[in-house]
Amino acid sequence: FIFGGNSGDLDQARPQGWRQNNIQVLECATSTQISDDIAKESSRPAESAISWFRPELVGSSPCPRSDTPIIYSKDLGKIFVFGGWSSRWHDDIFTCDVADIVGPPYNIFTVQAVDWADATSPITGSVQLAIRGQ
């Protein structure tokens, strides 16, 4: 899951791009694992093995922001969105029920930029990541 962030052409007029307040999900299943009915209900792609999609959100969303940490609770089937930056640091919290789009349990042990041993700043676009787990 990814929440918010900056998007668009990072040109001189808006060096930070445009802040977002959507959720994006990396789908790693094959078409045999996602039925057409489930794909239609959840806005999931039904064909490709790996792709990003934006599920439809219901209810109120946080204002567009970047630098927002999120955490997933397997027990509750929810993600929690903490604070973030939008011309000021926010100190709020939002939840989103994602139980209907989360697949079987898995573990991610590390996410690391391929070219860096220890990232000390936010990882931005065009940075190749190594995701390790089981």
Coordinates of all heavy atoms in Angstrom, one line a residue, residues 4-70:
G4 N -1.0 8.7 -0.5 CA -0.6 10.1 -0.8 C 0.8 10.2 -1.5 O 1.1 9.4 -2.3
G5 N 1.5 11.2 -1.2 CA 2.8 11.5 -1.8 C 2.6 12.6 -2.8 O 1.6 13.3 -2.9
N6 N 3.7 12.8 -3.6 CA 3.7 13.9 -4.6 C 3.6 13.2 -6.0 O 4.2 12.1 -6.2 CB 5.0 14.7 -4.5 CG 5.0 15.5 -3.2 OD1 4.0 15.7 -2.6 ND2 6.2 16.0 -2.9
S7 N 3.0 13.9 -6.9 CA 2.8 13.3 -8.2 C 2.8 14.4 -9.3 O 2.6 15.6 -8.9 CB 1.5 12.5 -8.3 OG 1.3 12.0 -9.6
G8 N 3.1 14.1 -10.5 CA 3.1 15.0 -11.6 C 4.4 15.4 -12.0 O 5.4 14.9 -11.6
D9 N 4.5 16.4 -13.0 CA 5.7 16.9 -13.5 C 6.4 17.8 -12.4 O 5.8 18.8 -12.0 CB 5.5 17.7 -14.7 CG 5.1 16.8 -15.9 OD1 5.4 15.6 -15.9 OD2 4.4 17.3 -16.8
L10 N 7.5 17.4 -12.0 CA 8.2 18.2 -11.0 C 9.0 19.3 -11.7 O 10.3 19.2 -11.7 CB 9.1 17.3 -10.1 CG 8.4 16.1 -9.4 CD1 9.4 15.2 -8.7 CD2 7.3 16.6 -8.5
D11 N 8.3 20.3 -12.2 CA 9.0 21.3 -12.9 C 9.2 22.5 -12.0 O 9.0 22.5 -10.8 CB 8.1 21.8 -14.1 CG 6.7 22.2 -13.7 OD1 6.5 22.5 -12.5 OD2 5.9 22.3 -14.6
Q12 N 9.7 23.6 -12.6 CA 10.1 24.8 -11.8 C 8.9 25.5 -11.2 O 9.0 26.1 -10.1 CB 10.9 25.7 -12.6 CG 12.3 25.2 -12.9 CD 13.1 26.1 -13.8 OE1 12.7 27.2 -14.1 NE2 14.3 25.7 -14.1
A13 N 7.7 25.4 -11.8 CA 6.6 26.1 -11.3 C 6.1 25.4 -10.0 O 5.6 26.1 -9.1 CB 5.4 26.1 -12.4
R14 N 6.1 24.1 -9.9 CA 5.7 23.4 -8.7 C 6.8 22.4 -8.4 O 6.6 21.2 -8.8 CB 4.4 22.7 -8.9 CG 3.2 23.7 -9.0 CD 1.9 23.1 -8.6 NE 1.8 22.4 -7.4 CZ 1.6 22.9 -6.2 NH1 1.4 24.2 -6.0 NH2 1.4 22.1 -5.1
P15 N 7.9 22.8 -7.8 CA 9.0 21.8 -7.6 C 8.7 20.6 -6.8 O 9.3 19.6 -6.9 CB 10.1 22.7 -6.9 CG 9.3 23.8 -6.3 CD 8.1 24.1 -7.2
Q16 N 7.6 20.6 -6.0 CA 7.2 19.5 -5.2 C 6.1 18.7 -5.9 O 5.6 17.7 -5.4 CB 6.7 19.9 -3.9 CG 7.8 20.5 -3.0 CD 8.9 19.5 -2.7 OE1 8.6 18.4 -2.3 NE2 10.1 20.0 -3.0
G17 N 5.6 19.1 -7.1 CA 4.5 18.4 -7.8 C 3.2 18.7 -7.1 O 3.1 19.7 -6.4
W18 N 2.3 17.7 -7.2 CA 1.0 17.9 -6.5 C 0.8 16.8 -5.5 O 1.1 15.6 -5.7 CB -0.1 17.8 -7.6 CG 0.0 18.7 -8.7 CD1 0.6 18.5 -9.9 CD2 -0.4 20.1 -8.7 NE1 0.6 19.7 -10.6 CE2 0.0 20.7 -9.9 CE3 -1.0 20.9 -7.7 CZ2 -0.2 22.0 -10.2 CZ3 -1.2 22.2 -8.0 CH2 -0.9 22.8 -9.3
R19 N 0.4 17.2 -4.3 CA 0.2 16.2 -3.2 C -1.1 15.4 -3.5 O -2.1 15.9 -4.1 CB 0.0 17.0 -1.9 CG 1.4 17.5 -1.4 CD 1.3 18.1 0.0 NE 2.5 18.7 0.3 CZ 2.8 20.0 0.1 NH1 1.8 20.8 -0.3 NH2 4.0 20.5 0.5
Q20 N -1.1 14.2 -3.1 CA -2.1 13.2 -3.4 C -2.8 12.8 -2.1 O -2.1 12.8 -1.0 CB -1.6 12.0 -4.1 CG -0.8 12.3 -5.4 CD -1.8 12.8 -6.5 OE1 -2.8 12.1 -6.7 NE2 -1.4 13.9 -7.1
N21 N -4.0 12.3 -2.1 CA -4.6 11.7 -1.0 C -5.3 10.4 -1.3 O -6.3 10.0 -0.8 CB -5.6 12.6 -0.3 CG -6.8 12.9 -1.0 OD1 -6.8 12.7 -2.3 ND2 -7.9 13.3 -0.4
N22 N -4.7 9.6 -2.3 CA -5.3 8.4 -2.7 C -4.5 7.2 -2.1 O -3.4 7.4 -1.6 CB -5.4 8.3 -4.2 CG -4.1 8.5 -4.9 OD1 -3.1 8.2 -4.3 ND2 -4.2 9.1 -6.1
I23 N -5.0 6.0 -2.2 CA -4.3 4.8 -1.8 C -4.0 4.0 -3.1 O -4.9 3.9 -3.9 CB -5.1 4.0 -0.8 CG1 -5.2 4.7 0.5 CG2 -4.5 2.6 -0.6 CD1 -6.1 4.0 1.5
Q24 N -2.8 3.6 -3.2 CA -2.4 2.7 -4.4 C -2.0 1.3 -3.8 O -1.4 1.3 -2.7 CB -1.3 3.3 -5.2 CG -1.8 4.6 -5.8 CD -0.7 5.2 -6.8 OE1 -0.2 4.4 -7.6 NE2 -0.4 6.4 -6.6
V25 N -2.4 0.3 -4.5 CA -2.1 -1.1 -4.1 C -1.3 -1.8 -5.2 O -1.7 -1.7 -6.3 CB -3.4 -1.8 -3.8 CG1 -3.1 -3.3 -3.3 CG2 -4.2 -1.1 -2.7
L26 N -0.2 -2.4 -4.8 CA 0.5 -3.2 -5.8 C -0.1 -4.6 -5.8 O 0.0 -5.3 -4.8 CB 2.0 -3.3 -5.4 CG 2.9 -4.1 -6.3 CD1 2.9 -3.6 -7.7 CD2 4.3 -4.2 -5.7
E27 N -0.7 -5.0 -6.9 CA -1.3 -6.3 -7.1 C -0.2 -7.3 -7.6 O 0.3 -7.0 -8.7 CB -2.5 -6.2 -8.0 CG -3.1 -7.5 -8.3 CD -3.6 -8.2 -7.0 OE1 -4.6 -7.7 -6.4 OE2 -3.0 -9.1 -6.5
C28 N 0.0 -8.3 -6.9 CA 1.0 -9.3 -7.3 C 0.4 -10.6 -7.7 O 1.2 -11.6 -7.8 CB 2.1 -9.5 -6.2 SG 2.9 -8.0 -5.8
A29 N -0.9 -10.7 -7.9 CA -1.5 -12.0 -8.3 C -1.6 -12.1 -9.8 O -1.6 -11.2 -10.5 CB -2.9 -12.0 -7.6
T30 N -1.8 -13.3 -10.2 CA -2.1 -13.6 -11.6 C -3.6 -13.6 -11.9 O -4.4 -13.7 -11.0 CB -1.5 -15.0 -12.1 OG1 -2.2 -16.0 -11.3 CG2 0.0 -15.0 -11.8
S31 N -4.0 -13.6 -13.1 CA -5.4 -13.6 -13.5 C -6.1 -14.8 -13.0 O -7.3 -14.8 -12.8 CB -5.6 -13.4 -15.0 OG -4.9 -14.5 -15.7
T32 N -5.4 -16.0 -12.8 CA -6.1 -17.1 -12.3 C -6.4 -17.0 -10.8 O -7.2 -17.7 -10.3 CB -5.2 -18.4 -12.5 OG1 -4.0 -18.2 -11.9 CG2 -5.1 -18.7 -14.0
Q33 N -5.7 -16.1 -10.1 CA -5.9 -15.9 -8.7 C -7.0 -14.9 -8.4 O -7.5 -14.8 -7.3 CB -4.7 -15.5 -8.0 CG -3.6 -16.6 -8.0 CD -2.3 -16.1 -7.5 OE1 -1.8 -15.0 -8.0 NE2 -1.7 -16.8 -6.6
I34 N -7.4 -14.0 -9.4 CA -8.4 -13.0 -9.2 C -9.5 -13.3 -10.2 O -9.3 -13.2 -11.4 CB -7.8 -11.6 -9.5 CG1 -6.6 -11.3 -8.6 CG2 -8.9 -10.6 -9.3 CD1 -6.0 -10.0 -8.9
S35 N -10.7 -13.6 -9.6 CA -11.8 -13.8 -10.5 C -12.3 -12.5 -11.1 O -12.0 -11.4 -10.6 CB -13.0 -14.5 -9.8 OG -13.6 -13.6 -8.9
D36 N -13.0 -12.5 -12.3 CA -13.5 -11.3 -12.9 C -14.5 -10.6 -12.0 O -14.5 -9.4 -11.9 CB -14.2 -11.7 -14.2 CG -13.2 -12.1 -15.3 OD1 -12.0 -11.7 -15.2 OD2 -13.6 -12.8 -16.2
D37 N -15.3 -11.3 -11.2 CA -16.2 -10.7 -10.3 C -15.5 -9.9 -9.2 O -15.8 -8.8 -8.9 CB -17.1 -11.7 -9.6 CG -18.1 -12.4 -10.6 OD1 -18.4 -11.8 -11.6 OD2 -18.6 -13.5 -10.3
I38 N -14.5 -10.5 -8.6 CA -13.7 -9.8 -7.6 C -13.0 -8.6 -8.2 O -13.0 -7.5 -7.6 CB -12.7 -10.7 -6.9 CG1 -13.4 -11.8 -6.1 CG2 -11.7 -9.9 -6.0 CD1 -12.5 -12.8 -5.5
A39 N -12.4 -8.7 -9.4 CA -11.8 -7.6 -10.0 C -12.7 -6.4 -10.3 O -12.4 -5.3 -10.0 CB -11.2 -8.1 -11.4
K40 N -13.9 -6.7 -10.7 CA -14.9 -5.7 -10.9 C -15.3 -5.0 -9.6 O -15.5 -3.8 -9.5 CB -16.2 -6.2 -11.6 CG -15.9 -6.6 -13.0 CD -17.1 -7.3 -13.6 CE -16.8 -7.8 -15.0 NZ -17.9 -8.6 -15.6
E41 N -15.5 -5.8 -8.5 CA -15.9 -5.2 -7.3 C -14.9 -4.3 -6.6 O -15.2 -3.4 -5.9 CB -16.3 -6.3 -6.3 CG -17.6 -7.1 -6.6 CD -17.8 -8.2 -5.7 OE1 -17.2 -8.3 -4.7 OE2 -18.6 -9.1 -6.1
S42 N -13.6 -4.7 -6.8 CA -12.5 -3.9 -6.1 C -11.7 -3.0 -7.0 O -10.7 -2.5 -6.5 CB -11.6 -5.0 -5.4 OG -11.0 -5.7 -6.4
S43 N -12.1 -2.9 -8.2 CA -11.3 -2.1 -9.2 C -9.9 -2.7 -9.4 O -9.0 -2.0 -9.8 CB -11.1 -0.6 -8.7 OG -12.4 0.0 -8.5
R44 N -9.7 -4.0 -9.2 CA -8.5 -4.6 -9.4 C -8.3 -5.0 -10.9 O -9.3 -5.3 -11.5 CB -8.4 -5.9 -8.6 CG -8.2 -5.8 -7.2 CD -8.3 -7.2 -6.5 NE -7.5 -7.2 -5.3 CZ -7.3 -8.2 -4.6 NH1 -7.8 -9.4 -5.0 NH2 -6.6 -8.2 -3.5
P45 N -7.1 -4.9 -11.4 CA -6.8 -5.4 -12.7 C -7.0 -6.9 -12.7 O -6.6 -7.6 -11.8 CB -5.4 -5.0 -13.0 CG -4.8 -4.9 -11.6 CD -5.9 -4.5 -10.7
A46 N -7.7 -7.5 -13.8 CA -8.0 -8.9 -13.8 C -7.0 -9.7 -14.7 O -7.0 -10.9 -14.7 CB -9.4 -9.1 -14.3
E47 N -6.0 -9.0 -15.3 CA -5.2 -9.7 -16.3 C -3.7 -9.8 -15.9 O -3.1 -10.8 -15.9 CB -5.3 -9.1 -17.7 CG -6.7 -9.3 -18.2 CD -6.9 -8.7 -19.6 OE1 -5.9 -8.3 -20.1 OE2 -8.0 -8.7 -20.1
S48 N -3.1 -8.6 -15.6 CA -1.7 -8.6 -15.4 C -1.2 -9.2 -14.1 O -1.9 -9.2 -13.1 CB -1.1 -7.2 -15.5 OG -1.6 -6.4 -14.5
A49 N 0.0 -9.7 -14.1 CA 0.5 -10.4 -12.9 C 1.0 -9.4 -11.9 O 0.7 -9.6 -10.7 CB 1.7 -11.3 -13.3
I50 N 1.6 -8.3 -12.3 CA 2.0 -7.3 -11.3 C 1.6 -5.9 -11.9 O 2.0 -5.5 -13.0 CB 3.5 -7.3 -11.1 CG1 4.0 -8.6 -10.5 CG2 4.0 -6.1 -10.2 CD1 5.4 -8.8 -10.3
S51 N 0.8 -5.2 -11.1 CA 0.3 -3.9 -11.5 C -0.2 -3.1 -10.3 O -0.5 -3.6 -9.3 CB -0.7 -4.0 -12.6 OG -1.9 -4.6 -12.1
W52 N -0.2 -1.8 -10.5 CA -0.8 -0.9 -9.5 C -2.2 -0.6 -9.7 O -2.6 -0.4 -10.9 CB 0.0 0.4 -9.4 CG 1.4 0.3 -8.9 CD1 2.5 0.2 -9.6 CD2 1.8 0.3 -7.5 NE1 3.6 0.1 -8.8 CE2 3.2 0.2 -7.5 CE3 1.1 0.4 -6.3 CZ2 3.9 0.1 -6.3 CZ3 1.8 0.4 -5.1 CH2 3.1 0.3 -5.1
F53 N -3.0 -0.5 -8.7 CA -4.4 0.0 -8.9 C -4.8 0.9 -7.7 O -4.2 0.8 -6.7 CB -5.4 -1.2 -9.1 CG -5.7 -1.9 -7.8 CD1 -6.9 -1.7 -7.1 CD2 -4.9 -3.0 -7.4 CE1 -7.2 -2.4 -6.0 CE2 -5.2 -3.7 -6.3 CZ -6.3 -3.4 -5.6
R54 N -5.8 1.7 -7.9 CA -6.3 2.6 -6.9 C -7.7 2.2 -6.5 O -8.7 2.4 -7.3 CB -6.4 4.0 -7.4 CG -5.0 4.6 -7.6 CD -5.1 6.1 -8.1 NE -3.8 6.5 -8.4 CZ -3.5 7.7 -8.9 NH1 -4.5 8.5 -9.3 NH2 -2.3 8.1 -9.1
P55 N -7.9 1.6 -5.4 CA -9.2 1.2 -5.0 C -10.1 2.4 -4.7 O -9.6 3.4 -4.3 CB -9.0 0.4 -3.7 CG -7.7 0.8 -3.2 CD -6.9 1.2 -4.4
E56 N -11.4 2.3 -4.9 CA -12.3 3.3 -4.6 C -12.4 3.5 -3.1 O -12.6 2.5 -2.3 CB -13.7 3.0 -5.2 CG -14.7 4.1 -4.9 CD -16.0 3.8 -5.5 OE1 -16.1 2.9 -6.4 OE2 -17.0 4.4 -5.1
L57 N -12.3 4.7 -2.6 CA -12.4 5.0 -1.1 C -13.8 5.4 -0.8 O -14.4 6.2 -1.5 CB -11.4 6.1 -0.7 CG -9.9 5.8 -1.0 CD1 -9.0 6.9 -0.6 CD2 -9.5 4.5 -0.3
V58 N -14.3 5.0 0.4 CA -15.6 5.3 0.9 C -15.4 6.1 2.2 O -14.6 5.7 3.0 CB -16.4 4.1 1.1 CG1 -17.8 4.4 1.7 CG2 -16.6 3.3 -0.2
G59 N -16.1 7.2 2.4 CA -16.0 7.9 3.6 C -15.1 9.1 3.4 O -14.7 9.5 2.3
S60 N -14.7 9.8 4.5 CA -13.8 10.9 4.4 C -12.3 10.5 4.3 O -11.9 9.6 4.9 CB -14.0 11.9 5.5 OG -13.7 11.2 6.7
S61 N -11.6 11.3 3.5 CA -10.2 11.1 3.3 C -9.4 12.2 3.9 O -9.9 13.3 4.0 CB -9.8 11.0 1.8 OG -10.5 10.0 1.2
P62 N -8.2 11.9 4.3 CA -7.3 13.0 4.8 C -7.0 14.0 3.7 O -7.2 13.6 2.5 CB -6.0 12.3 5.2 CG -6.3 10.8 5.2 CD -7.5 10.6 4.4
C63 N -6.7 15.2 4.0 CA -6.3 16.2 3.0 C -5.1 15.6 2.2 O -4.3 14.8 2.8 CB -6.0 17.5 3.6 SG -4.6 17.6 4.6
P64 N -4.8 16.0 1.0 CA -3.7 15.6 0.2 C -2.4 15.9 1.0 O -2.3 17.0 1.6 CB -3.7 16.4 -1.1 CG -5.2 16.7 -1.3 CD -5.7 16.9 0.1
R65 N -1.4 14.9 1.1 CA -0.2 15.1 1.9 C 0.9 14.2 1.4 O 0.6 13.2 0.7 CB -0.5 15.0 3.3 CG -1.1 13.6 3.6 CD -1.6 13.4 5.1 NE -2.8 14.2 5.4 CZ -3.3 14.3 6.6 NH1 -2.7 13.7 7.6 NH2 -4.4 15.0 6.8
S66 N 2.1 14.4 1.8 CA 3.2 13.6 1.5 C 3.9 13.2 2.8 O 3.5 13.7 3.9 CB 4.2 14.3 0.6 OG 4.7 15.5 1.2
D67 N 4.9 12.4 2.7 CA 5.7 11.9 3.9 C 4.8 11.4 5.0 O 5.0 11.7 6.1 CB 6.6 13.1 4.4 CG 7.4 13.7 3.3 OD1 8.2 12.9 2.7 OD2 7.4 14.9 3.0
T68 N 3.9 10.5 4.6 CA 2.9 10.0 5.5 C 3.2 8.5 5.8 O 3.1 7.7 4.9 CB 1.5 10.1 4.9 OG1 1.3 11.4 4.5 CG2 0.4 9.7 5.9
P69 N 3.6 8.2 7.0 CA 3.8 6.8 7.4 C 2.4 6.1 7.5 O 1.4 6.6 7.9 CB 4.5 6.8 8.7 CG 4.2 8.2 9.3 CD 3.9 9.1 8.1
I70 N 2.4 4.8 7.1 CA 1.2 4.0 7.2 C 1.7 2.6 7.8 O 2.8 2.2 7.7 CB 0.4 3.7 5.9 CG1 1.3 2.9 4.9 CG2 -0.1 5.0 5.3 CD1 0.5 2.5 3.7

